[in-house]
Amino acid sequence: MARTLRPPTAESKVSNVTNSNPNPNPNVFVPSYTTAVTERQKKLKESSRGLTSSSSLHNASNSNNGLIGGTFDKVQMTKLLIHTLHELGYENSSICLQEESGGIQVESTVVQKIFKYIRDGSFFDITLELLSKLPLKNGNLNLESLNCHTLLDQSEENVNNKNTQNHSATLDHTISTMTIQLQLFESLFEKIAGMLRRPGVLEQLDTFRQILEIMVLVNKQVFLELVFQSSDPTGAVFYLRAFLRKFIHLWDSVLLLQNDIGLNLETDFTPEQLLREMSSVLTSPLNGNDNNTPFHTIWHDSLKNSREFLIDQISRYIDPNDLVPKGRLVALLKQAIKYQRSKDLFSVLNGNDNNQQEEQDEEQDTDMEKTPKIFNLLQDNTTDFNEINFIEEKTLVQNTDEIWYLQFSPDGKYLASASADSTTDRKILIYDVENDFQVYKILAGNKQCVLYLSFSPDSKYLVSCPFNESANIYDIHIKGEPSNINPEIGDSGIIAEIIQPIDSFHIPNILNQEPPMSPSESSESSLENTTSGNATVMLSRTLPLIGSRTRSNRTHNNSSNNPSSSTTHNVTRDPYVEIGKGNSPRTWCCDWFHTADHYGKFAVGSPDREVVVYDINMRQIIYRMASSIAFDSETNEINTHSTTSSSVFTFMDQFPRIHDLKISYDDKYMILMTHQGNIDVYDISSFPTNETVTKLAESNLSTMTSEEAHQRGHVLLDELILPKIQQLTINKNMTCISLPDIRNTRLDYDMDDEMNDDVAEGSEEGLANLLIVNLPFNEIQLWDYKENLLIQKYMGQRQEQFIIRSCFGYDNKLVASGSEDGKVYIWDRVKGNILGVLSGHNKERLSSFGNNVSRASHSSHSNNTSNDKKFGMNCNTVVWNPRDKSLFASGGDDGYIKIWRVVRD
């Protein structure tokens, strides 16, 4: 006995539908909802014709060239209205509008046929010939242009033979039909593969792939109906082996061929994934959840829902002009609302707040119905400024001196702080964000003030850059010596541990001879300070000196607003860090490589004209960037490897002093902030991976003596050249640079998400190019470092003498910065307007040491000032949590760390 997929019903046959309203053109398929018209519907249509006839509509269309408002196509607008009325359930109105418009269809005839066959379960009606006529986004499959007349005749013969079988919806009939279709697809693929050199065949190959994917989805549906609807596991196993698997293998062959010819395509699903899912349906219990494959994502609860899901999948392949996309009007309305709100000065925070609140509500009660935000379609939608607020949640008081640096770990679970406390080497505290910001670890081993901190991408390691020449590396999760810095908070209390560095290194000073002097230098060799070109430089028979950042002299040159000024500036430095043949360059800044291929590497920048790359796996410096500059002893010139300017420079243009550096999230670019008023961008995409470095190290061990290794300074990549691809000419002194956090930002765009992205500013590529620069002239600049474009300026904060650090925040929609008036300033990144000014840091301290205090208890401690140290008012740094977009922190000269949150009133 034949196994039935779905018993045919009278209601499901096209003939029964059309008999109630005969179709004057039998060659044109008409969907059921446009033909099943009652007498009442006919009267409604007749009355509507009395108001506006279809001829008058066409005449009006001709009078204005078929445009509405001079912009929108009238036919497309009518399709959209018909489709939307149908989606809203207004069948009568959609029918009337279709009649009145002269029969405009929202679906082409071929699309209607295929969807009707799917809804009726007539999968044997879906043939290669029919699919070849399907209007895909890149056109249909032209069998005649491929000289496939034989295949076309065979397909027509198959249709004729099938029609003599009275549309019997049985598995045996489907098997016989799909047997022929599989042979046709395999033959057509062989024919196309042999014609790839002909013009236009590559495009036809891609069209064939899309048609094949649709046929795979159809066969998948047949298989699922055998399993879930017919409960026929034997037939399902046979169909999987005989047809579905073979169609999937053919599809995989097409993808491999496209990959071989350089067409790397991304698909919504892969052959391996699909075959694995279908196999799990057979091997797992029907009500189980083995292999992490919930069946409700494969079989959508009912036969009707499953077939509608198949239609939705196929709809993605079809040209929108032949099939209005599902929910298209709603998608357009969402875009319009986003555009309106993007023009509102205070709308920057509205993008994801509703979603975030819904996620919080879902965690509290997943069964509670959420009230969606309703937008008024009859008026413009703007934002009430009073909805936006920044509140202080907590004050961290464990530090006893100025906070110079803060950084959240990439996973958002930890906050690291560096203070200027000269009484201890335990200047770095790690706070546990998820445990009420209790101190998690105390990092010892930093005798000098720490200028910079940097977490590894996995949040395991932390690098500190003290003012002297050594950089320290910590594993923040190792065990250490217990301390009592945290208060006792019952069972939830954390015992903070004091840990030492697991590794420490300095940059070797391998200059064995002094660099040659230019003629201008030799004439003024007795002077330590002089000027040349567009920047003030400092000459020395050793490497140039930079002023130290102590409480008394951590200022920047402020007597001139432009480094091109000829005014000289005296700077000081402690004698123990004097650079010469016996001392090492200092480490002032660092950043990690972010991708898996470079795990364990980070770059360190020095104001003593050096950048090195350190590998924690090999525990050594593997690259020195300044070594790409080679002195020519005969010509007294310096040869550099640069694509932005001449390859020959004078001594005045040697490798610059580095005050800050960043590595892009994709490890393609290294950005260096120099003391000379420029930002240099280097292409590091060719930097050797860990595997390559390991092989090179093994090779060097067998070919290089210890003396040769010492002469090279233990640098493996001594022949690597990194090209400089861009130089931003700021022409002003700079204090720091910051990049957006791309790793945790949504990079996709889905119109089904409720206001989840900023349409105008949501480009991944554009966001990844951004860079903010702090200038000691009460100004912050936003640059596109790839295009060398100044995009925006942010004003209002005070920065004249000290290093003030800023950051991107709130999914990179905001820019936040400290200020020398002790306040935190927050701007809209795009428009540049100030959204908030927060009074955070002043000269008063609640206590010199003690427990963290909340905002509510802040006033009760106001008189507890046991520390006699006189504090400044600077807010030195602001950082944003990369995982919790509403959470940020600030640190100031008062020694406090303030924890802030973005809220909606």
Side-chain angles (χ1 to χ4, degrees):
M1 177 180 292
R3 293 176 287 271
T4 304
L5 288 176
R6 188 180 76 87
T9 61
E11 291 78 10
S12 67
K13 294 187 177 180
V14 178
S15 59
N16 290 344
V17 175
T18 57
N19 285 338
S20 62
N21 185 16
N23 184 0
N25 186 358
N27 295 324
V28 178
F29 183 86
V30 181
S32 58
Y33 75 86
T34 64
T35 56
V37 183
T38 64
E39 292 298 325
R40 180 173 176 275
Q41 293 169 351
K42 292 181 180 179
K43 293 180 181 180
L44 288 173
K45 289 186 290 181
E46 291 173 357
S47 63
S48 64
R49 290 195 190 97
L51 295 175
T52 305
S53 65
S54 60
S55 60
S56 64
L57 180 64
H58 290 300
N59 291 335
S61 175
N62 294 332
S63 63
N64 59 8
N65 296 324
L67 298 179
I68 298 177
T71 303
F72 303 106
D73 182 79
K74 181 173 288 186
V75 174
Q76 292 183 359
M77 179 74 77
T78 306
K79 283 186 177 183
L80 183 61
L81 293 175
I82 295 173
H83 178 74
T84 303
L85 289 172
H86 177 62
E87 285 189 325
L88 293 175
Y90 300 121
E91 298 291 346
N92 295 341
S93 299
S94 65
I95 293 170
C96 289
L97 181 55
Q98 187 174 38
E99 291 275 334
E100 192 174 0
S101 65
I104 293 179
Q105 295 184 0
V106 297
E107 301 173 355
S108 68
T109 303
V110 176
V111 173
Q112 292 171 11
K113 281 186 177 181
I114 292 178
F115 288 177
K116 186 64 168 62
Y117 293 154
I118 292 175
R119 291 188 175 102
D120 290 344
S122 303
F123 300 109
F124 44 75
D125 285 310
I126 303 176
T127 63
L128 173 62
E129 180 190 12
L130 181 62
L131 292 177
S132 67
K133 299 176 182 178
L134 194 64
L136 305 178
K137 292 180 179 180
N138 60 342
N140 55 10
L141 184 64
N142 193 336
L143 295 177
E144 294 185 359
S145 66
L146 296 173
N147 298 322
C148 299
H149 303 291
T150 304
L151 293 177
L152 187 61
D153 295 340
Q154 185 178 358
S155 179
E156 291 177 351
E157 181 181 354
N158 174 50
V159 173
N160 293 333
N161 292 337
K162 177 202 65 180
N163 288 336
T164 62
Q165 300 177 26
N166 300 320
H167 294 263
S168 177
T170 62
L171 177 60
D172 292 338
H173 188 191
T174 304
I175 289 175
S176 62
T177 302
M178 288 302 172
T179 300
I180 298 177
Q181 295 303 313
L182 179 61
Q183 295 173 355
L184 293 175
F185 272 90
E186 291 175 341
S187 300
L188 182 57
F189 174 59
E190 293 178 0
K191 195 171 187 63
I192 293 177
M195 303 168 59
L196 291 179
R197 296 183 180 274
R198 297 186 183 182
V201 176
L202 290 179
E203 291 78 6
Q204 290 290 292
L205 174 63
D206 192 57
T207 303
F208 174 76
R209 174 189 61 81
Q210 297 181 48
I211 290 177
L212 179 57
E213 288 179 1
I214 293 175
M215 183 60 84
V216 169
L217 292 174
V218 170
N219 279 270
K220 170 189 171 184
Q221 182 65 25
V222 175
F223 168 76
L224 293 177
E225 291 190 13
L226 288 170
V227 175
F228 293 101
Q229 185 67 19
S230 303
S231 299
D232 185 2
T234 303
V237 171
F238 171 78
Y239 199 87
L240 174 64
R241 294 176 177 175
F243 298 100
L244 181 55
R245 179 180 294 176
K246 292 183 179 179
F247 272 111
I248 292 176
H249 286 170
L250 179 61
W251 173 36
D252 188 47
S253 300
V254 175
L255 292 175
L256 289 175
L257 178 60
Q258 289 186 302
N259 184 66
D260 291 341
I261 60 180
L263 300 177
N264 297 320
L265 304 173
E266 294 184 2
T267 58
D268 294 336
F269 56 102
T270 63
E272 297 83 359
Q273 176 187 357
L274 180 59
L275 194 57
R276 184 168 56 251
E277 287 183 354
M278 296 304 99
S279 298
S280 68
V281 171
L282 292 175
T283 58
S284 302
L286 292 180
N287 58 352
N289 193 22
D290 295 341
N291 302 325
N292 296 320
T293 308
F295 287 132
H296 67 84
T297 63
I298 299 176
W299 179 259
H300 297 267
D301 300 328
S302 68
L303 182 66
K304 179 180 178 182
N305 292 342
S306 184
R307 290 177 177 176
E308 289 298 327
F309 180 74
L310 173 60
I311 290 176
D312 289 341
Q313 287 182 299
I314 296 176
S315 298
R316 301 174 184 176
Y317 295 88
I318 299 174
D319 187 345
N321 291 313
D322 292 276
L323 176 65
V324 179
K326 185 178 181 180
R328 180 57 183 164
L329 181 60
V330 175
L332 292 174
L333 292 175
K334 288 182 180 180
Q335 292 180 8
I337 291 175
K338 290 179 182 179
Y339 176 77
Q340 288 179 6
R341 303 184 76 175
S342 71
K343 298 303 179 183
D344 184 359
L345 290 179
F346 306 107
S347 66
V348 65
L349 301 185
N350 293 328
N352 294 338
D353 282 353
N354 295 331
N355 286 344
Q356 185 183 35
Q357 185 63 45
E358 289 181 1
E359 291 174 0
Q360 294 174 355
D361 294 341
E362 184 175 358
E363 292 177 359
Q364 297 173 0
D365 187 358
T366 57
D367 297 329
M368 182 181 299
E369 293 186 1
K370 306 175 185 64
T371 303
K373 186 173 180 63
I374 306 300
F375 295 93
N376 192 334
L377 300 178
L378 305 181
Q379 67 181 28
D380 291 344
N381 286 270
T382 57
T383 304
D384 182 4
F385 174 66
N386 294 327
E387 294 181 355
I388 302 171
N389 200 4
F390 304 94
I391 64 171
E392 178 187 334
E393 280 196 341
K394 187 179 290 293
T395 300
L396 310 183
V397 301
Q398 287 88 349
N399 291 281
T400 60
D401 211 329
E402 302 170 2
I403 303 297
W404 281 6
Y405 204 92
L406 293 174
Q407 189 182 42
F408 279 104
S409 60
D411 60 9
K413 296 181 178 180
Y414 303 99
L415 173 64
S417 69
S419 73
D421 189 358
S422 60
T423 64
T424 179
D425 67 338
R426 303 169 183 178
K427 297 176 174 62
I428 303 174
L429 301 182
I430 307 293
Y431 296 90
D432 190 326
V433 176
E434 297 179 342
N435 286 281
D436 197 35
F437 285 91
Q438 297 181 67
V439 176
Y440 176 64
K441 288 294 193 307
I442 302 171
L443 276 52
N446 294 283
K447 296 182 180 181
Q448 302 299 324
C449 297
V450 177
L451 298 181
Y452 219 93
L453 301 173
S454 183
F455 273 103
S456 62
D458 60 357
S459 304
K460 179 180 180 180
Y461 300 104
L462 180 76
V463 177
S464 69
C465 296
F467 184 75
N468 60 8
E469 61 267 19
S470 295
N472 296 321
I473 305 169
Y474 298 86
D475 181 344
I476 67 170
H477 299 304
I478 63 174
K479 294 294 182 180
E481 177 187 351
S483 74
N484 60 352
I485 192 172
N486 287 327
E488 295 182 4
I489 315 179
D491 296 336
S492 62
I494 295 177
I495 298 178
E497 297 176 336
I498 304 170
I499 61 175
Q500 300 291 335
I502 62 170
D503 193 10
S504 181
F505 76 94
H506 65 274
I507 304 174
N509 182 11
I510 59 173
L511 294 179
N512 296 321
Q513 61 180 13
E514 298 176 355
M517 294 190 299
S518 64
S520 61
E521 282 185 74
S522 59
S523 64
E524 302 184 39
S525 59
S526 62
L527 297 178
E528 179 179 350
N529 297 332
T530 185
T531 59
S532 176
N534 293 327
T536 300
V537 296
M538 309 178 65
L539 297 181
S540 172
R541 298 319 299 152
T542 62
L543 290 179
L545 309 181
I546 294 294
S548 61
R549 190 188 193 275
T550 64
R551 178 64 196 145
S552 60
N553 62 11
R554 66 184 177 96
T555 63
H556 289 269
N557 300 335
N558 61 354
S559 61
S560 174
N561 291 335
N562 195 310
S564 63
S565 170
S566 61
T567 303
T568 60
H569 307 279
N570 294 326
V571 297
T572 62
R573 73 175 282 147
D574 296 333
Y576 63 83
V577 289
E578 193 73 31
I579 296 298
K581 293 183 180 180
N583 296 85
S584 299
R586 293 157 291 172
T587 57
W588 274 22
C589 52
C590 63
D591 197 13
W592 291 78
F593 287 74
H594 303 97
T595 60
D597 288 339
H598 299 287
Y599 178 78
K601 298 194 194 84
F602 61 88
V604 174
S606 171
D608 301 315
R609 304 184 186 272
E610 183 63 279
V611 172
V612 302
V613 175
Y614 189 83
D615 191 328
I616 63 174
N617 302 310
M618 306 184 67
R619 302 176 69 90
Q620 71 177 65
I621 295 173
I622 62 173
Y623 178 65
R624 298 189 65 155
M625 200 166 184
S627 64
S628 62
I629 300 177
F631 291 96
D632 190 325
S633 58
E634 296 182 359
T635 62
N636 283 349
E637 292 177 342
I638 300 174
N639 296 321
T640 70
H641 307 284
S642 173
T643 62
T644 60
S645 56
S646 173
S647 61
V648 178
F649 292 86
T650 66
F651 174 69
M652 305 302 297
D653 295 304
Q654 61 180 292
F655 194 82
R657 304 169 187 164
I658 306 303
H659 283 196
D660 203 352
L661 69 81
K662 297 293 180 184
I663 296 176
S664 63
Y665 77 101
D666 55 5
D667 291 346
K668 291 184 178 180
Y669 305 98
M670 180 182 293
I671 304 164
L672 305 181
M673 187 192 84
T674 72
H675 181 68
Q676 284 79 356
N678 298 322
I679 295 178
D680 297 333
V681 182
Y682 286 83
D683 183 354
I684 62 172
S685 59
S686 61
F687 200 92
T689 63
N690 288 350
E691 181 180 0
T692 302
V693 171
T694 301
K695 292 180 179 179
L696 182 60
E698 294 173 352
S699 174
N700 286 350
L701 288 176
S702 60
T703 59
M704 186 183 303
T705 65
S706 59
E707 181 178 355
E708 291 172 337
H710 178 73
Q711 291 177 352
R712 292 193 175 194
H714 303 284
V715 176
L716 290 175
L717 308 176
D718 54 351
E719 298 181 358
L720 177 65
I721 297 175
L722 299 178
K724 183 166 66 177
I725 62 171
Q726 193 62 269
Q727 185 175 79
L728 312 184
T729 305
I730 309 298
N731 278 331
K732 295 179 181 179
N733 291 328
M734 299 168 286
T735 61
C736 70
I737 57 177
S738 298
L739 297 179
D741 186 5
I742 305 297
R743 294 165 294 182
N744 302 310
T745 301
R746 280 182 58 98
L747 303 181
D748 59 320
Y749 179 71
D750 187 352
M751 283 306 304
D752 292 335
D753 291 345
E754 293 291 337
M755 304 301 163
N756 208 24
D757 294 281
D758 186 340
V759 175
E761 306 295 335
S763 169
E764 171 196 358
E765 184 65 24
L767 186 62
N769 299 347
L770 297 184
L771 169 79
I772 53 178
V773 186
N774 277 52
L775 307 173
F777 306 100
N778 306 324
E779 179 182 325
I780 298 175
Q781 295 182 356
L782 177 68
W783 285 78
D784 184 323
Y785 67 82
K786 290 184 183 179
E787 300 297 332
N788 203 346
L789 291 175
L790 175 60
I791 299 175
Q792 185 59 272
K793 293 183 178 181
Y794 309 101
M795 305 289 190
Q797 86 288 5
R798 179 183 172 189
Q799 182 178 3
E800 297 175 351
Q801 296 181 346
F802 302 103
I803 295 178
I804 303 295
R805 301 188 185 275
S806 60
C807 67
F808 291 88
Y810 207 85
D811 282 346
N812 301 306
K813 295 180 179 179
L814 303 179
V815 171
S817 176
S819 176
E820 291 179 11
D821 59 9
K823 299 177 181 179
V824 177
Y825 287 77
I826 301 176
W827 297 266
D828 181 334
R829 190 202 83 213
V830 177
K831 304 175 185 65
N833 56 289
I834 292 180
L835 296 177
V837 179
L838 316 180
S839 297
H841 303 271
N842 51 51
K843 295 182 179 180
E844 297 182 355
R845 279 185 60 91
L846 304 184
S847 63
S848 61
F849 184 85
N851 302 343
N852 297 334
V853 293
S854 64
R855 179 63 174 175
S857 61
H858 205 287
S859 59
S860 64
H861 293 75
S862 60
N863 295 324
N864 184 14
T865 57
S866 60
N867 196 325
D868 296 331
K869 178 180 175 65
K870 184 175 292 186
F871 293 94
M873 289 185 60
N874 295 334
C875 175
N876 297 316
T877 178
V878 180
V879 291
W880 218 281
N881 191 299
R883 291 293 183 179
D884 184 350
K885 69 174 186 179
S886 65
L887 186 68
F888 62 103
S890 64
D893 279 357
D894 56 5
Y896 289 155
I897 300 173
K898 298 294 182 74
I899 306 300
W900 307 87
R901 188 171 293 278
V902 182
V903 297
R904 298 288 296 274
D905 292 339

